[in-house]
Amino acid sequence: MSEATRSNLQPVLDFLSRHAPFDQMQAEHLLELTRRSKLAFFAKGEYVTRPEGGIAQHLYIIKQGRVRGETESGEESVWELIGGESFPIGALLAHRPVNTRHRAMEDSFCFELAADDFYTLLDKSEVLRDFCTRRLANLLDQAQRETQSYSTFQIAGEATLNSPLGKLLRPDAPYCLHSDSIQHVLETLQQIHGRSIAIVDESMRPVGIITLRDVLERVTLPQRSLSDSVATVMSKQLYILQEQDFAFEAALLMAEQGIGHVCVVDSTGKYLGVVSERMLFSLQKVGLGNISRAIQQAASIELLKQLAHEIRHFTQQLMAQGASVDQLTRIIAALNDRLTQRVISLTVSESDSPPPPFTWLAFGSEGREEQTLKTDQDNGILFEANSKSEADALRQQLLPLALQINHRLAEVGFPLCPGNIMASNPICCLSLEEWQARFQTWLKQGDAGHLLNAAIFFDFRPLYGPTEPVLRLRQSLHEGTSKNPRFLHMMAANALRNTPPLGLFSDFRLKSKGGGPASLDLKLQALTPFVDAARIYALAHNIKTTNTQQRLRDAAKVGAIPLGEVSAWCEAYGFLQMLRMRQHQQQDERGDNLDNKLAPESLNELDRRILKEALRQARKLQQRLAMDYQL
Amino acid sequence: MKWPWPFRARKQLSEAILGRQHRWSQLPTPKLTLPFSQASYIVIDLETSGLDTRRDRLISIGAVRVAAKRICYEDCFHVVLQQHQTSDHDNILIHGITPTTQREGTPPVEALMAFWEFAGKSPLVAYHAPFDQQFLLRSTHQQLDIRPKSKWLDLAWLLPAVFTNTVPNRSPLDKWLAHFQLAEDGRHTADADALATAELLLMSLTQAEKKGLTHFDALFTLANGEMKLAPGGGF
């Protein structure tokens, strides 16, 4: 690049390096972004993007001005973007038209980067990639009235539940005086598009809060005069934390007290702002519609590969932000389901002659909808046949297709199963009768290998094709189990051999290998006790779900286990899964092999305490199982 | 265009420069009636040692292309011309170009040739365009012995014509920048000013479209009309 260009670019470089994520980008990537950008002007009222414009062609970064995003669904989903913010990232990542109309609310200048240049840069710059996927999560949740405050929360990137509350607040948090009229407060709420606002006294001490809900209950319904002072209707019960308190303390307070807002003050008690539940947990309310649609419409494996890549980054970021694991694993499972289904339907549609009807089954963690970042394939095929010879003939037709699907799934990012539990393996590509016979053999004979198989295969779930035969397989499995009580008893005994690593006095009981820090196996010692127990209760009580938490909840519903315990068990399980996924994510980032060894001393105090509690819950569940099976 | 009389002391130009001049002269002249969305303009800002277009010297040229209503950052131009005597203290303060930089600059022949190669025959836009036009054309003629016929648009007259009743006529550039909050860092280098001027041009194009004007020629006529209507006439 010539000196001339560089010096001309300097003001642009200066601008971008004042805004996240560009300030974090490598110098050469930032230079490339700058060089490729053009500057466009949009007069007040002019549309920058609109759905009718077709597939998104440009990335816009606002240099100056304000741009409002609005979706078709109307006012609920309106938000504003200001200098330094970018759009429409979701549409660009998904290669689709924007859902959002972006309109300049005042005369605005935007840097404009062509989509191709954006994709090139996305490939090169990890910082940009991370930012965009995180932002995508944000965009998926478009009911964001508090965008401004929490987008800074997100852009801050490092902000998690371990951040001090002061960091989550915007500097000019709105408030009203207790002497203000209700009318004035309502107008203020309207102006800030807020749901709640803090009320302070003359010395800026918070004295109350009023939410839109309060307005309905205490103003509208009792027909209060709007000229009354707000002090007469506000909630005086305030929960107050200081700015240096951590976000998780606010989260805990909200959870314990069932409140949605916590007031934050400085050390002298002066009002600084309000932290809402929505700010802390905004990422957990992620909608899946957009990505899911993109997958369903993807026309090639190449595109699916790209989407799979995006999903992985997106979920990693959700996790980094402390999204709830229950939600997260369901998201991963749902997106992986869509991916798998699309791979199958693409492969089926490309085959020369239409294959015979078949059902694609997911086993193991995929069957339980509990995949982590990198889950090996565990799958099979079920089809219907009237005779042994017909079954063999159909199998011969289906195996090549299955092999192709297995390989394409591997291409998309689901590694092949080292144990060859895959549909392309003839013993995993069976007719309904053959599956039933195979399961019955295990139930009757019940040797160690059969117990191991049961732990994988009995968590089957249909992913593609007719589901009715799968219900029949489930039904016959449950009938078989009740006829063979010995098998469940053995399963329970087997499960109890694997105890959570807690000492007598509830301290960790850990192993240290080769001088490394003492560690425990998160999967085997912490998660498996829950998974095994849930499976046993499900089989014993004719519960047809496969997800561990759902199985436990269902078991409680039929009275198999105490309802009071179940929510604690589910939470404990969720926490352990989160630890495991976080560990995998960190290992993945470092390029290490993924493993399940966790050293409790590497955790912070809070996590270590929760881990201990989670393991205690595992032990409790096992004690329950031992009692029920007299072991 | 070349001077026909051999007895006039002609500047000795190298074969290479003559070749480049020739290639430049062969460039097509763009239509001035192309709609904004297809047209390309060069926004220019000069720094000089003073305001006297006959005696003062050209110090630097900053320029950027505006194509299809977009400022193309990749397509910009900046050069500091080599000086034998450095400019006044006051001016150094404004432009921030030190005497050393000035002495180390690009030889004027090369600088000007490079500029015209960059600009081609695109229409030129500047704030107080006649000043830049006279300075640039005089230097170009002296150094390269050519007289480019590019059309010049003066934003100082276009702006008040499209944004009526905002900033008074004959205001300095800074007034407009302040009005639209464009002067971010208050730097006065030729390239920073060229960028700010280009931003004003973008705004003018959009505003002009609202008034039904769609091409350079129409803007040119409008700006000229504004100038002639103004009490006291032109610049």
Side-chain angles (χ1 to χ4, degrees), chain A residues 355-376:
Chain A
F358 68 93
T359 306
W360 188 268
L361 298 175
F363 301 126
S365 64
E366 198 185 353
R368 293 192 301 272
E369 300 171 72
E370 287 163 11
Q371 291 109 311
T372 54
L373 293 180
K374 281 184 182 164
T375 303
D376 291 348

Side-chain angles (χ1 to χ4, degrees), chain A residues 4-5 7-12 34-43 46 63-64 107 109 111-112, chain B residues 63-64 69-74 76-78 180-182 184-185 187 191-192 195 199 202-203 206 210:
Chain A
T5 324
S7 97
N8 247 321
L9 295 179
Q10 200 55 50
V12 187
T34 307
R35 215 153 47 87
R36 296 279 173 193
S37 292
K38 294 177 176 181
L39 187 73
F41 173 72
F42 299 94
E46 205 177 330
K63 175 176 188 265
Q64 184 177 345
D107 286 354
F109 283 95
F111 298 110
E112 182 186 82
Chain B
V64 62
K69 294 179 68 188
R70 301 288 186 268
I71 296 176
C72 308
Y73 291 115
E74 205 170 7
C76 52
F77 181 87
H78 176 84
F180 292 118
Q181 296 167 10
L182 294 179
E184 308 134 300
D185 44 14
R187 293 192 324 157
D191 43 349
L195 281 182
E199 288 175 7
L202 284 191
M203 299 183 84
T206 299
K210 284 189 191 157

Side-chain angles (χ1 to χ4, degrees), chain A residues 23-175:
Chain A
D23 55 344
Q24 302 289 322
M25 278 169 70
Q26 282 179 32
E28 55 168 310
H29 298 154
L30 186 61
L31 196 60
E32 180 171 337
L33 168 66
T34 307
R35 215 153 47 87
R36 296 279 173 193
S37 292
K38 294 177 176 181
L39 187 73
F41 173 72
F42 299 94
K44 180 178 177 179
E46 205 177 330
Y47 282 107
V48 185
T49 72
R50 50 209 305 183
E52 305 86 288
I55 307 287
Q57 299 291 331
H58 297 103
L59 172 77
Y60 294 95
I61 304 163
I62 302 173
K63 175 176 188 265
Q64 184 177 345
R66 273 187 309 139
V67 171
R68 172 185 284 221
E70 45 200 57
T71 54
E72 294 293 331
S73 55
E75 223 199 295
E76 255 308 297
S77 13
V78 172
W79 63 95
E80 256 182 30
L81 301 167
I82 53 166
E85 295 192 281
S86 334
F87 62 93
I89 291 172
L92 282 167
L93 290 183
H95 297 261
R96 59 160 170 75
V98 292
N99 293 330
T100 309
R101 292 162 194 280
H102 286 103
R103 192 145 61 116
M105 296 312 287
E106 54 189 49
D107 286 354
S108 301
F109 283 95
C110 298
F111 298 110
E112 182 186 82
L113 184 69
D116 283 343
D117 291 330
F118 171 69
Y119 297 133
T120 311
L121 206 58
L122 205 58
D123 253 5
K124 291 185 189 165
S125 169
E126 198 174 337
V127 172
L128 184 66
R129 210 155 55 224
D130 283 358
F131 171 80
C132 289
T133 38
R134 213 180 314 147
R135 186 83 187 133
L136 176 62
N138 183 345
L139 288 167
L140 286 172
D141 174 27
Q142 279 181 337
Q144 31 171 290
R145 281 174 172 261
E146 287 169 312
T147 312
Q148 296 238 338
S149 53
Y150 94 63
S151 73
T152 48
F153 168 34
Q154 294 211 324
I155 288 164
E158 300 306 312
T160 63
L161 290 180
N162 286 323
S163 312
L165 287 169
K167 286 211 166 165
L168 304 186
L169 299 171
R170 47 201 284 202
D172 53 341
Y175 60 87

